[in-house]
Amino acid sequence: MNIGEKLNMTMLCDFYELTMGNGYFENGFKDKITYFDVFFRRVPDKGGFAIAAGLEQLIRYIEDLHFTPEDIAYLRGRNLFCEEFLEYLANFRFTGDIYAVPEGTPVFPKEPLVVVRAPAIEAQLIETFTLLTVNHQSLIATKANRITRAARGRTVLEFGSRRAQGSDAAITGARAAYIGGCAGTACTISDQLYGVPAGGTMAHAWVQMFDSEYEAFKTYCEIYPTNATLLVDTYNTLKSGIPNAIRAFNEVLKPKGITKCGIRLDSGDMAYLTRKARKMLDDAGWTECKISVSNSLDEYLIQDLFMQGAQIDMFGVGERMITARSEPVFGGVYKLAAVEDDEGNIIPKIKVSENVEKITIPHFKKVYRFYGRDTGKAIADLITLHDEQVDDTQDLEIFDPMATWKKKTVYNFTARELLVPVFLKGKRVYDSPTLPEIQAYCRQQVDTLWDEVKRFDNPHKYVVDLSRKLWDIQQELLRSSQR
Amino acid sequence: MNIGEKLNMTMLCDFYELTMGNGYFENGFKDKITYFDVFFRRVPDKGGFAIAAGLEQLIRYIEDLHFTPEDIAYLRGRNLFCEEFLEYLANFRFTGDIYAVPEGTPVFPKEPLVVVRAPAIEAQLIETFTLLTVNHQSLIATKANRITRAARGRTVLEFGSRRAQGSDAAITGARAAYIGGCAGTACTISDQLYGVPAGGTMAHAWVQMFDSEYEAFKTYCEIYPTNATLLVDTYNTLKSGIPNAIRAFNEVLKPKGITKCGIRLDSGDMAYLTRKARKMLDDAGWTECKISVSNSLDEYLIQDLFMQGAQIDMFGVGERMITARSEPVFGGVYKLAAVEDDEGNIIPKIKVSENVEKITIPHFKKVYRFYGRDTGKAIADLITLHDEQVDDTQDLEIFDPMATWKKKTVYNFTARELLVPVFLKGKRVYDSPTLPEIQAYCRQQVDTLWDEVKRFDNPHKYVVDLSRKLWDIQQELLRSSQR
């Protein structure tokens, strides 16, 4: 069972994609082959890199792409579309090619994350959903990666469903958070659908439902002796919560020989309370009792807690991760890069802008990542034409496309292509890894980045250059646009 | 057809709701009647009020609440739940009462937006989805209301699907934006499902697809002569975009006697370009041509544009509205307010906190809003016990619960109850208004607020007081919790 399989998202498109589609149809552009790139211009939170995610949902969307008779009836009712176009839509399937960066890959501004080669109407129609899923999940995976790195190996759980921006934000948001490094989620359906491990124990209401806190704790330990994490801040953490928890552990768990248990704090001064709590638990012999905290945390607050000597084994992170609160938009765009003429020649296209950062990179492209053979570290990315080959047995001089005097020679490296074929002629050709595989791949690829690129503030700018051929084409198009 | 009808969201719950549910079941609390309130503590963006929304999706969720055999199988596989509880879940339906503030109502911190009276397991299980839908749609409706008020009567369209946090954020986000005051959306499926008017014309790709900008415009006008809004910033707005648009209007629309048309700008200096554009269009006789802009707008940028004399008829607002970018979390919480004992007496419950702002208001409650008989303006809200009656033929003294010496006498007023029954004994008793009715109600209710409450910065704090009886109960519970 899968939400993507249940819901047909074909109509989740911007209306202009349909008016343009009808226009292409009426103007004879129906079969014109186009190339579109998905890329982003800036890493959220001023970070050094982002984590690509959302491809799996894009794949399911593409596979399910079709208009139902109700969809066609709705569109006919708008009195804007010709009957032939509606008939075309009734038989609509995606027939093009899609290349994409695998989920979990660290990615950088300007490089294509997804490349679509398809007839104009098809390529145009998938714009909104493609951006939506890549933008949303990359946003959350990137944020989760920051937060889990701040946690220095401690467990981070995703707790944000109730503050998520809609049901899909909760469900696939938990998936993206797992890719970025979270160990699990509170969201049950994300486990059921995607295998993100879901867990949870009690809310304040559980404690309030009983005549006393102690009774609430004791009852919980009796029902879940091997899974007893008690919420200790309903009344007074130090004076009542922790003493009652210790009493319940002693009376229920100890006789059973159980040493693993936990407490959770959801309010108050986490640095002070967790240090005190650790001492009280240790003094009572509950050295294996884990301390969890959950109260509007993010990467900066987690770093601060460590600085203050907080004693925390597990972080539950809610609204600030599931909404990427500090910067809740991943600005991926979908831009025309080329069209094919009637003979199948690729004609590169450019979008000019007064803001030089917004000028697009034309043509059908691919992306190489270079890793040092000795260090295993990522050195630079190079965007090339689709048919260029990098020979990684030779030294290679690359240059900054915005400041061409900035040159760099890459040597003793291996080159890896980032974009892999996902659909060819409308058929899926990509086997998705499992979610744990994606998470492990993400961790391993983030490890290939130098620490300087991973800093939260003022990270070193990773090099993403253009091949000479590609740069020449871009410059020529810029010149001719100004004539 | 409706997404809520297609998707069973029962498993979109925090896992602790299930572990607690099983615990209540095993501990004999299954039929214990509980009261939970949904309320929020702070208006996003430091605003003076929020707009309640999301009730319709809550209703559909409650009506559809059930566990499928697959859900039960998944839960059994977790090895945490007793068979009797799983059997109970297999026959699970919501049997309780729900009261809620109608969608589109301006609401204030601390007052209940939703009140649930239900057996413990049921009330606990619906926590996550109830919060999720109310938090999400209230967030977007509130932001949209700010943005549309900033637009001073000009049309505002929701353009943010591609940057929304998942598909539901796009679809129901457009619905919430419409409630808050937007005239329509770019999101096709939101029109099809909810009747939010969807529209749109062209992207830059349309212009780039043709050999010239002029040809692209001319073709578009020929296909959509009565719906011709041309995107004029692909190459150079003033030197090529607007002249080509005027030429296409002259050649295609003029002979047909069409005077209505539009241009759209998506980049550049909006204040300067729209003033220039207006003059060029007027000089060419296209005085009815509407100017639309769309480029990372929000309420502050729209105010600035007016200050600078920008000539804009329509705003397309994307990422900053659909994610509520400046503050993307609506912090609604779900708190136990009371339980019933075996004789059906209501036992009020309180959640204490060191932070006095976080102390809950106990008991089964209702909310009155007082309107001046002469002005029609909202004067104050009063939270009372569920069985208190306000007599609005008499003057009434109310007081601030946080500073009890602050008293206010309300006179010459009408009192209206805000919470209406939505479900009674599990049966829906509420007929939802249509979406245009909700939007109109929202506009009318916002009009009842004094301008001082509607300011974006430093708004006047609207009075929300507690009845004497309710305040006494809260104080008594606070005292006994400290013994």
Side-chain angles (χ1 to χ4, degrees), chain A residues 13 15-16 19 22 71 74 78 127 162 167-168 186 188 191-192 198 201 224, chain B residues 13 15-16 19 22 71 74 78 127 162 167-168 186 188 191-192 198 201 208 224:
Chain A
C13 59
F15 199 75
Y16 73 11
T19 51
N22 181 66
D71 298 339
Y74 160 82
R78 293 297 306 263
E127 174 179 7
R162 62 192 56 200
S167 53
D168 189 41
T188 311
D191 188 3
Q192 188 185 19
T201 57
Y224 301 110
Chain B
C13 58
F15 198 75
Y16 74 10
T19 51
N22 181 65
D71 298 339
Y74 160 82
R78 293 298 305 264
E127 173 178 7
R162 63 192 57 199
S167 53
D168 190 41
T188 310
D191 188 1
Q192 186 185 19
T201 56
Q208 293 173 279
Y224 300 111

mmCIF file of all heavy atoms in Angstrom, chain A residues 13 15-16 19 22 71 74 78 127 162 167-168 186 188 191-192 198 201 224, chain B residues 13 15-16 19 22 71 74 78 127 162 167-168 186 188 191-192 198 201 208 224:
data_model
loop_
_atom_site.group_PDB
_atom_site.id
_atom_site.type_symbol
_atom_site.label_atom_id
_atom_site.label_comp_id
_atom_site.label_asym_id
_atom_site.label_seq_id
_atom_site.Cartn_x
_atom_site.Cartn_y
_atom_site.Cartn_z
ATOM 1 N N CYS A 13 -1.074 20.061 -11.139
ATOM 2 C CA CYS A 13 -0.217 20.810 -12.049
ATOM 3 C C CYS A 13 -0.675 22.255 -12.027
ATOM 4 O O CYS A 13 -1.817 22.542 -11.684
ATOM 5 C CB CYS A 13 -0.296 20.240 -13.467
ATOM 6 S SG CYS A 13 -1.958 20.247 -14.145
ATOM 7 N N PHE A 15 -2.073 25.425 -13.665
ATOM 8 C CA PHE A 15 -3.011 25.490 -14.779
ATOM 9 C C PHE A 15 -2.334 25.926 -16.081
ATOM 10 O O PHE A 15 -2.713 25.503 -17.169
ATOM 11 C CB PHE A 15 -4.170 26.423 -14.420
ATOM 12 C CG PHE A 15 -5.384 26.231 -15.276
ATOM 13 C CD1 PHE A 15 -6.208 25.125 -15.096
ATOM 14 C CD2 PHE A 15 -5.696 27.136 -16.273
ATOM 15 C CE1 PHE A 15 -7.331 24.933 -15.900
ATOM 16 C CE2 PHE A 15 -6.811 26.949 -17.075
ATOM 17 C CZ PHE A 15 -7.632 25.848 -16.891
ATOM 18 N N TYR A 16 -1.291 26.758 -15.960
ATOM 19 C CA TYR A 16 -0.634 27.225 -17.191
ATOM 20 C C TYR A 16 0.024 26.084 -17.958
ATOM 21 O O TYR A 16 0.259 26.189 -19.144
ATOM 22 C CB TYR A 16 0.302 28.399 -16.950
ATOM 23 C CG TYR A 16 1.632 28.199 -16.257
ATOM 24 C CD1 TYR A 16 2.216 26.974 -15.992
ATOM 25 C CD2 TYR A 16 2.364 29.342 -15.893
ATOM 26 C CE1 TYR A 16 3.435 26.861 -15.385
ATOM 27 C CE2 TYR A 16 3.595 29.244 -15.275
ATOM 28 C CZ TYR A 16 4.126 27.985 -15.026
ATOM 29 O OH TYR A 16 5.342 27.884 -14.435
ATOM 30 N N THR A 19 -2.778 25.160 -20.260
ATOM 31 C CA THR A 19 -3.024 26.136 -21.335
ATOM 32 C C THR A 19 -1.864 26.120 -22.322
ATOM 33 O O THR A 19 -2.069 26.159 -23.537
ATOM 34 C CB THR A 19 -3.243 27.558 -20.770
ATOM 35 O OG1 THR A 19 -2.190 27.905 -19.884
ATOM 36 C CG2 THR A 19 -4.564 27.661 -20.018
ATOM 37 N N ASN A 22 -2.155 22.838 -24.418
ATOM 38 C CA ASN A 22 -3.143 22.998 -25.485
ATOM 39 C C ASN A 22 -2.578 23.894 -26.592
ATOM 40 O O ASN A 22 -2.794 23.645 -27.784
ATOM 41 C CB ASN A 22 -4.414 23.601 -24.877
ATOM 42 C CG ASN A 22 -5.522 23.801 -25.889
ATOM 43 O OD1 ASN A 22 -6.053 22.850 -26.434
ATOM 44 N ND2 ASN A 22 -5.864 25.068 -26.154
ATOM 45 N N ASP A 71 -11.278 13.873 -14.821
ATOM 46 C CA ASP A 71 -10.326 14.951 -15.090
ATOM 47 C C ASP A 71 -10.653 15.620 -16.428
ATOM 48 O O ASP A 71 -10.686 16.851 -16.538
ATOM 49 C CB ASP A 71 -8.887 14.417 -15.135
ATOM 50 C CG ASP A 71 -8.442 13.801 -13.816
ATOM 51 O OD1 ASP A 71 -9.041 14.126 -12.766
ATOM 52 O OD2 ASP A 71 -7.498 12.991 -13.838
ATOM 53 N N TYR A 74 -13.747 17.710 -16.189
ATOM 54 C CA TYR A 74 -13.459 18.994 -15.537
ATOM 55 C C TYR A 74 -12.800 19.955 -16.525
ATOM 56 O O TYR A 74 -13.190 21.128 -16.624
ATOM 57 C CB TYR A 74 -12.552 18.787 -14.310
ATOM 58 C CG TYR A 74 -11.842 20.046 -13.895
ATOM 59 C CD1 TYR A 74 -12.489 21.007 -13.106
ATOM 60 C CD2 TYR A 74 -10.548 20.317 -14.333
ATOM 61 C CE1 TYR A 74 -11.852 22.191 -12.756
ATOM 62 C CE2 TYR A 74 -9.908 21.500 -13.988
ATOM 63 C CZ TYR A 74 -10.560 22.432 -13.204
ATOM 64 O OH TYR A 74 -9.931 23.601 -12.882
ATOM 65 N N ARG A 78 -13.975 23.825 -18.525
ATOM 66 C CA ARG A 78 -13.303 25.124 -18.455
ATOM 67 C C ARG A 78 -13.416 25.913 -19.768
ATOM 68 O O ARG A 78 -13.062 27.091 -19.821
ATOM 69 C CB ARG A 78 -11.826 24.931 -18.087
ATOM 70 C CG ARG A 78 -11.604 24.392 -16.681
ATOM 71 C CD ARG A 78 -12.102 25.355 -15.612
ATOM 72 N NE ARG A 78 -11.538 26.675 -15.765
ATOM 73 C CZ ARG A 78 -10.483 27.126 -15.094
ATOM 74 N NH1 ARG A 78 -9.892 26.343 -14.216
ATOM 75 N NH2 ARG A 78 -10.022 28.348 -15.289
ATOM 76 N N GLU A 127 6.058 19.595 -14.654
ATOM 77 C CA GLU A 127 6.864 20.614 -13.964
ATOM 78 C C GLU A 127 6.514 20.746 -12.476
ATOM 79 O O GLU A 127 7.384 20.665 -11.610
ATOM 80 C CB GLU A 127 6.661 21.974 -14.666
ATOM 81 C CG GLU A 127 7.336 23.142 -13.959
ATOM 82 C CD GLU A 127 7.147 24.475 -14.699
ATOM 83 O OE1 GLU A 127 6.387 24.523 -15.687
ATOM 84 O OE2 GLU A 127 7.781 25.460 -14.272
ATOM 85 N N ARG A 162 2.435 16.771 13.802
ATOM 86 C CA ARG A 162 1.335 17.677 14.165
ATOM 87 C C ARG A 162 1.562 19.109 13.701
ATOM 88 O O ARG A 162 0.626 19.889 13.666
ATOM 89 C CB ARG A 162 1.134 17.647 15.676
ATOM 90 C CG ARG A 162 2.336 18.135 16.455
ATOM 91 C CD ARG A 162 2.194 17.804 17.912
ATOM 92 N NE ARG A 162 1.983 16.382 18.080
ATOM 93 C CZ ARG A 162 1.461 15.830 19.166
ATOM 94 N NH1 ARG A 162 1.129 16.578 20.186
ATOM 95 N NH2 ARG A 162 1.305 14.532 19.233
ATOM 96 N N SER A 167 -0.773 16.565 5.336
ATOM 97 C CA SER A 167 -0.511 15.145 5.600
ATOM 98 C C SER A 167 0.718 14.640 4.851
ATOM 99 O O SER A 167 1.531 13.900 5.404
ATOM 100 C CB SER A 167 -1.744 14.321 5.217
ATOM 101 O OG SER A 167 -2.140 14.594 3.896
ATOM 102 N N ASP A 168 0.866 15.044 3.607
ATOM 103 C CA ASP A 168 2.005 14.554 2.839
ATOM 104 C C ASP A 168 3.315 15.080 3.432
ATOM 105 O O ASP A 168 4.337 14.377 3.424
ATOM 106 C CB ASP A 168 1.851 14.992 1.378
ATOM 107 C CG ASP A 168 2.864 14.350 0.466
ATOM 108 O OD1 ASP A 168 3.120 13.137 0.640
ATOM 109 O OD2 ASP A 168 3.402 15.040 -0.411
ATOM 110 N N ALA A 186 7.965 9.583 14.829
ATOM 111 C CA ALA A 186 6.766 9.293 15.621
ATOM 112 C C ALA A 186 5.586 8.947 14.718
ATOM 113 O O ALA A 186 4.560 8.467 15.187
ATOM 114 C CB ALA A 186 6.413 10.503 16.489
ATOM 115 N N THR A 188 3.300 7.027 12.535
ATOM 116 C CA THR A 188 3.047 5.602 12.321
ATOM 117 C C THR A 188 2.969 5.233 10.843
ATOM 118 O O THR A 188 3.559 4.254 10.389
ATOM 119 C CB THR A 188 1.726 5.206 13.011
ATOM 120 O OG1 THR A 188 1.748 5.706 14.351
ATOM 121 C CG2 THR A 188 1.551 3.703 13.029
ATOM 122 N N ASP A 191 6.093 4.614 8.815
ATOM 123 C CA ASP A 191 6.687 3.292 9.018
ATOM 124 C C ASP A 191 5.963 2.283 8.135
ATOM 125 O O ASP A 191 6.570 1.538 7.360
ATOM 126 C CB ASP A 191 6.558 2.910 10.502
ATOM 127 C CG ASP A 191 7.321 1.635 10.845
ATOM 128 O OD1 ASP A 191 7.988 1.073 9.959
ATOM 129 O OD2 ASP A 191 7.243 1.215 12.013
ATOM 130 N N GLN A 192 4.644 2.318 8.222
ATOM 131 C CA GLN A 192 3.842 1.368 7.460
ATOM 132 C C GLN A 192 4.086 1.484 5.949
ATOM 133 O O GLN A 192 4.202 0.482 5.254
ATOM 134 C CB GLN A 192 2.368 1.630 7.774
ATOM 135 C CG GLN A 192 1.413 0.608 7.199
ATOM 136 C CD GLN A 192 -0.031 0.998 7.454
ATOM 137 O OE1 GLN A 192 -0.338 2.159 7.728
ATOM 138 N NE2 GLN A 192 -0.924 0.033 7.361
ATOM 139 N N ALA A 198 8.988 3.646 13.379
ATOM 140 C CA ALA A 198 8.147 4.523 14.187
ATOM 141 C C ALA A 198 8.116 4.053 15.632
ATOM 142 O O ALA A 198 8.024 2.856 15.898
ATOM 143 C CB ALA A 198 6.727 4.571 13.635
ATOM 144 N N THR A 201 6.015 6.628 23.187
ATOM 145 C CA THR A 201 5.556 6.017 24.435
ATOM 146 C C THR A 201 4.342 6.725 25.033
ATOM 147 O O THR A 201 3.238 6.218 24.981
ATOM 148 C CB THR A 201 6.712 5.959 25.447
ATOM 149 O OG1 THR A 201 7.214 7.269 25.652
ATOM 150 C CG2 THR A 201 7.818 5.049 24.963
ATOM 151 N N TYR A 224 4.453 -2.094 29.419
ATOM 152 C CA TYR A 224 5.570 -2.085 28.464
ATOM 153 C C TYR A 224 6.911 -2.165 29.191
ATOM 154 O O TYR A 224 7.711 -1.230 29.127
ATOM 155 C CB TYR A 224 5.521 -0.807 27.624
ATOM 156 C CG TYR A 224 4.250 -0.624 26.831
ATOM 157 C CD1 TYR A 224 3.336 0.365 27.164
ATOM 158 C CD2 TYR A 224 3.986 -1.430 25.728
ATOM 159 C CE1 TYR A 224 2.176 0.554 26.419
ATOM 160 C CE2 TYR A 224 2.823 -1.254 24.981
ATOM 161 C CZ TYR A 224 1.924 -0.255 25.328
ATOM 162 O OH TYR A 224 0.785 -0.092 24.593
ATOM 163 N N CYS B 13 -0.998 8.888 12.722
ATOM 164 C CA CYS B 13 -1.045 9.228 14.137
ATOM 165 C C CYS B 13 0.352 9.042 14.709
ATOM 166 O O CYS B 13 1.162 8.313 14.151
ATOM 167 C CB CYS B 13 -2.042 8.336 14.872
ATOM 168 S SG CYS B 13 -1.683 6.581 14.736
ATOM 169 N N PHE B 15 2.886 7.440 17.077
ATOM 170 C CA PHE B 15 2.868 6.069 17.583
ATOM 171 C C PHE B 15 2.479 6.023 19.056
ATOM 172 O O PHE B 15 1.845 5.066 19.508
ATOM 173 C CB PHE B 15 4.233 5.406 17.345
ATOM 174 C CG PHE B 15 4.199 3.918 17.420
ATOM 175 C CD1 PHE B 15 3.668 3.166 16.386
ATOM 176 C CD2 PHE B 15 4.679 3.250 18.533
ATOM 177 C CE1 PHE B 15 3.614 1.781 16.458
ATOM 178 C CE2 PHE B 15 4.633 1.872 18.612
ATOM 179 C CZ PHE B 15 4.101 1.130 17.576
ATOM 180 N N TYR B 16 2.804 7.055 19.812
ATOM 181 C CA TYR B 16 2.464 7.021 21.246
ATOM 182 C C TYR B 16 0.965 7.031 21.485
ATOM 183 O O TYR B 16 0.489 6.609 22.539
ATOM 184 C CB TYR B 16 3.205 8.094 22.035
ATOM 185 C CG TYR B 16 2.799 9.554 21.940
ATOM 186 C CD1 TYR B 16 1.647 10.009 21.329
ATOM 187 C CD2 TYR B 16 3.618 10.504 22.539
ATOM 188 C CE1 TYR B 16 1.317 11.353 21.308
ATOM 189 C CE2 TYR B 16 3.299 11.859 22.527
ATOM 190 C CZ TYR B 16 2.142 12.267 21.899
ATOM 191 O OH TYR B 16 1.822 13.590 21.877
ATOM 192 N N THR B 19 0.365 3.322 21.634
ATOM 193 C CA THR B 19 0.858 2.678 22.858
ATOM 194 C C THR B 19 0.012 3.136 24.052
ATOM 195 O O THR B 19 -0.356 2.331 24.904
ATOM 196 C CB THR B 19 2.353 2.982 23.109
ATOM 197 O OG1 THR B 19 2.574 4.388 23.024
ATOM 198 C CG2 THR B 19 3.229 2.272 22.093
ATOM 199 N N ASN B 22 -3.457 1.342 23.788
ATOM 200 C CA ASN B 22 -3.361 -0.027 24.283
ATOM 201 C C ASN B 22 -3.256 -0.033 25.815
ATOM 202 O O ASN B 22 -3.853 -0.874 26.496
ATOM 203 C CB ASN B 22 -2.136 -0.689 23.652
ATOM 204 C CG ASN B 22 -1.944 -2.127 24.083
ATOM 205 O OD1 ASN B 22 -2.777 -2.984 23.782
ATOM 206 N ND2 ASN B 22 -0.855 -2.395 24.793
ATOM 207 N N ASP B 71 -3.755 -2.447 8.245
ATOM 208 C CA ASP B 71 -3.302 -1.645 9.388
ATOM 209 C C ASP B 71 -3.143 -2.536 10.629
ATOM 210 O O ASP B 71 -2.140 -2.468 11.344
ATOM 211 C CB ASP B 71 -4.316 -0.533 9.707
ATOM 212 C CG ASP B 71 -4.486 0.455 8.562
ATOM 213 O OD1 ASP B 71 -3.571 0.539 7.700
ATOM 214 O OD2 ASP B 71 -5.535 1.126 8.513
ATOM 215 N N TYR B 74 -0.127 -4.713 10.346
ATOM 216 C CA TYR B 74 1.096 -3.957 10.643
ATOM 217 C C TYR B 74 1.269 -3.802 12.154
ATOM 218 O O TYR B 74 2.355 -4.026 12.704
ATOM 219 C CB TYR B 74 1.055 -2.582 9.956
ATOM 220 C CG TYR B 74 2.018 -1.604 10.590
ATOM 221 C CD1 TYR B 74 3.372 -1.601 10.255
ATOM 222 C CD2 TYR B 74 1.579 -0.706 11.568
ATOM 223 C CE1 TYR B 74 4.260 -0.734 10.876
ATOM 224 C CE2 TYR B 74 2.460 0.166 12.187
ATOM 225 C CZ TYR B 74 3.796 0.146 11.846
ATOM 226 O OH TYR B 74 4.676 0.988 12.460
ATOM 227 N N ARG B 78 4.155 -5.326 15.259
ATOM 228 C CA ARG B 78 5.022 -4.557 16.158
ATOM 229 C C ARG B 78 5.208 -5.240 17.513
ATOM 230 O O ARG B 78 6.041 -4.824 18.317
ATOM 231 C CB ARG B 78 4.443 -3.148 16.355
ATOM 232 C CG ARG B 78 4.464 -2.278 15.100
ATOM 233 C CD ARG B 78 5.880 -2.029 14.603
ATOM 234 N NE ARG B 78 6.725 -1.454 15.633
ATOM 235 C CZ ARG B 78 6.963 -0.157 15.784
ATOM 236 N NH1 ARG B 78 6.437 0.709 14.960
ATOM 237 N NH2 ARG B 78 7.734 0.271 16.751
ATOM 238 N N GLU B 127 -5.469 12.947 17.921
ATOM 239 C CA GLU B 127 -4.657 14.123 18.249
ATOM 240 C C GLU B 127 -3.835 14.634 17.062
ATOM 241 O O GLU B 127 -3.904 15.801 16.695
ATOM 242 C CB GLU B 127 -3.719 13.773 19.419
ATOM 243 C CG GLU B 127 -2.707 14.875 19.751
ATOM 244 C CD GLU B 127 -1.804 14.518 20.947
ATOM 245 O OE1 GLU B 127 -1.871 13.375 21.435
ATOM 246 O OE2 GLU B 127 -1.055 15.397 21.385
ATOM 247 N N ARG B 162 4.652 24.563 -6.443
ATOM 248 C CA ARG B 162 5.960 23.945 -6.675
ATOM 249 C C ARG B 162 6.908 24.065 -5.481
ATOM 250 O O ARG B 162 7.903 23.374 -5.418
ATOM 251 C CB ARG B 162 6.606 24.556 -7.910
ATOM 252 C CG ARG B 162 6.886 26.033 -7.762
ATOM 253 C CD ARG B 162 7.241 26.639 -9.096
ATOM 254 N NE ARG B 162 6.174 26.392 -10.051
ATOM 255 C CZ ARG B 162 6.320 26.460 -11.373
ATOM 256 N NH1 ARG B 162 7.498 26.781 -11.884
ATOM 257 N NH2 ARG B 162 5.310 26.212 -12.168
ATOM 258 N N SER B 167 2.402 17.366 -1.429
ATOM 259 C CA SER B 167 1.220 17.533 -2.271
ATOM 260 C C SER B 167 0.036 18.097 -1.491
ATOM 261 O O SER B 167 -0.681 18.977 -1.975
ATOM 262 C CB SER B 167 0.844 16.195 -2.903
ATOM 263 O OG SER B 167 0.708 15.194 -1.919
ATOM 264 N N ASP B 168 -0.183 17.628 -0.280
ATOM 265 C CA ASP B 168 -1.325 18.114 0.490
ATOM 266 C C ASP B 168 -1.148 19.597 0.832
ATOM 267 O O ASP B 168 -2.131 20.361 0.854
ATOM 268 C CB ASP B 168 -1.462 17.276 1.757
ATOM 269 C CG ASP B 168 -2.744 17.547 2.506
ATOM 270 O OD1 ASP B 168 -3.794 17.695 1.842
ATOM 271 O OD2 ASP B 168 -2.716 17.624 3.738
ATOM 272 N N ALA B 186 -3.068 28.770 -8.848
ATOM 273 C CA ALA B 186 -2.557 28.146 -10.070
ATOM 274 C C ALA B 186 -2.745 26.638 -10.035
ATOM 275 O O ALA B 186 -2.588 25.970 -11.050
ATOM 276 C CB ALA B 186 -1.069 28.474 -10.230
ATOM 277 N N THR B 188 -4.346 23.310 -10.303
ATOM 278 C CA THR B 188 -5.524 22.791 -10.989
ATOM 279 C C THR B 188 -6.374 21.892 -10.100
ATOM 280 O O THR B 188 -7.600 22.016 -10.043
ATOM 281 C CB THR B 188 -5.084 21.993 -12.234
ATOM 282 O OG1 THR B 188 -4.160 22.799 -12.983
ATOM 283 C CG2 THR B 188 -6.267 21.642 -13.114
ATOM 284 N N ASP B 191 -8.873 23.364 -7.679
ATOM 285 C CA ASP B 191 -10.131 23.785 -8.301
ATOM 286 C C ASP B 191 -11.050 22.578 -8.444
ATOM 287 O O ASP B 191 -12.208 22.580 -8.013
ATOM 288 C CB ASP B 191 -9.823 24.408 -9.666
ATOM 289 C CG ASP B 191 -11.043 25.056 -10.304
ATOM 290 O OD1 ASP B 191 -12.132 25.053 -9.691
ATOM 291 O OD2 ASP B 191 -10.918 25.580 -11.421
ATOM 292 N N GLN B 192 -10.486 21.526 -9.017
ATOM 293 C CA GLN B 192 -11.282 20.323 -9.265
ATOM 294 C C GLN B 192 -11.864 19.751 -7.970
ATOM 295 O O GLN B 192 -13.027 19.355 -7.928
ATOM 296 C CB GLN B 192 -10.370 19.295 -9.942
ATOM 297 C CG GLN B 192 -11.088 18.048 -10.402
ATOM 298 C CD GLN B 192 -10.090 17.023 -10.944
ATOM 299 O OE1 GLN B 192 -8.894 17.088 -10.662
ATOM 300 N NE2 GLN B 192 -10.609 16.087 -11.725
ATOM 301 N N ALA B 198 -9.002 28.062 -10.495
ATOM 302 C CA ALA B 198 -7.624 27.909 -10.971
ATOM 303 C C ALA B 198 -7.451 28.593 -12.315
ATOM 304 O O ALA B 198 -8.315 28.510 -13.183
ATOM 305 C CB ALA B 198 -7.266 26.431 -11.088
ATOM 306 N N THR B 201 -1.541 31.174 -17.470
ATOM 307 C CA THR B 201 -1.398 31.362 -18.911
ATOM 308 C C THR B 201 -0.110 30.754 -19.463
ATOM 309 O O THR B 201 -0.140 29.744 -20.135
ATOM 310 C CB THR B 201 -1.487 32.856 -19.257
ATOM 311 O OG1 THR B 201 -0.518 33.565 -18.506
ATOM 312 C CG2 THR B 201 -2.874 33.392 -18.944
ATOM 313 N N GLN B 208 10.304 30.792 -24.920
ATOM 314 C CA GLN B 208 11.569 30.278 -25.456
ATOM 315 C C GLN B 208 11.362 29.239 -26.552
ATOM 316 O O GLN B 208 12.265 28.971 -27.336
ATOM 317 C CB GLN B 208 12.381 29.628 -24.323
ATOM 318 C CG GLN B 208 12.865 30.609 -23.284
ATOM 319 C CD GLN B 208 13.499 29.857 -22.126
ATOM 320 O OE1 GLN B 208 12.801 29.365 -21.251
ATOM 321 N NE2 GLN B 208 14.804 29.747 -22.123
ATOM 322 N N TYR B 224 -5.839 31.972 -27.370
ATOM 323 C CA TYR B 224 -6.626 32.398 -26.201
ATOM 324 C C TYR B 224 -6.924 33.898 -26.259
ATOM 325 O O TYR B 224 -6.471 34.659 -25.400
ATOM 326 C CB TYR B 224 -5.861 32.091 -24.918
ATOM 327 C CG TYR B 224 -5.535 30.629 -24.713
ATOM 328 C CD1 TYR B 224 -4.219 30.183 -24.785
ATOM 329 C CD2 TYR B 224 -6.538 29.710 -24.428
ATOM 330 C CE1 TYR B 224 -3.911 28.843 -24.587
ATOM 331 C CE2 TYR B 224 -6.239 28.363 -24.234
ATOM 332 C CZ TYR B 224 -4.923 27.933 -24.318
ATOM 333 O OH TYR B 224 -4.618 26.613 -24.122
#
